[in-house]
Amino acid sequence: MEQREIRQFELGGQYTDAWYRMTVFPSADGVTVLGSEITERKRMEGALQDANTRLVEADQRKNEFLGMLSHELRNPLTPIRNSLYILDRATPGGIRPNGRTRS
């Protein structure tokens, strides 16, 4: 380790579920090691990652649903719109402008 170089690392226990952060740095007496337990922080990080994964999946399902809904709403409206267009231009009683009735 170079002079004044600080190393920091996290360890997950092989024999325990605890997590620790260790910081090693040079001091007047040689090397100083500081450690702190970070198990709760690691659990919270895991919970946040799980929640984020669920949110991403829910967002994808929402987008798929909206795409399908949009498609389903557009397609039935086209024949209805065309029928209304024809009915709007038809003469009342089915008489054509040349005087004949529809067959």
Side-chain angles (χ1 to χ4, degrees), residues 29-92:
D29 298 327
V31 175
T32 301
V33 178
L34 296 176
S36 59
E37 196 235 345
I38 58 169
T39 304
E40 188 61 29
R41 191 194 83 191
K42 285 294 193 179
R43 285 187 185 137
M44 296 300 283
E45 285 177 0
L48 284 173
Q49 288 174 350
D50 291 344
N52 187 46
T53 300
R54 287 192 307 272
L55 286 173
V56 167
E57 290 170 357
D59 187 53
Q60 182 177 353
R61 285 192 305 271
K62 175 205 57 144
N63 289 339
E64 290 171 0
F65 172 77
L66 290 176
M68 181 186 67
L69 180 65
S70 167
H71 175 76
E72 293 299 325
L73 287 176
R74 261 191 312 248
N75 285 343
L77 292 179
T78 301
I80 294 169
R81 185 179 49 199
N82 290 340
S83 298
L84 290 174
Y85 177 81
I86 292 169
L87 288 174
D88 187 45
R89 277 141 186 81
T91 56

Side-chain angles (χ1 to χ4, degrees), residues 14-26:
Q14 182 177 358
Y15 304 105
T16 179
D17 290 335
W19 281 85
Y20 300 95
R21 171 178 280 152
M22 308 301 288
T23 304
V24 181
F25 56 92

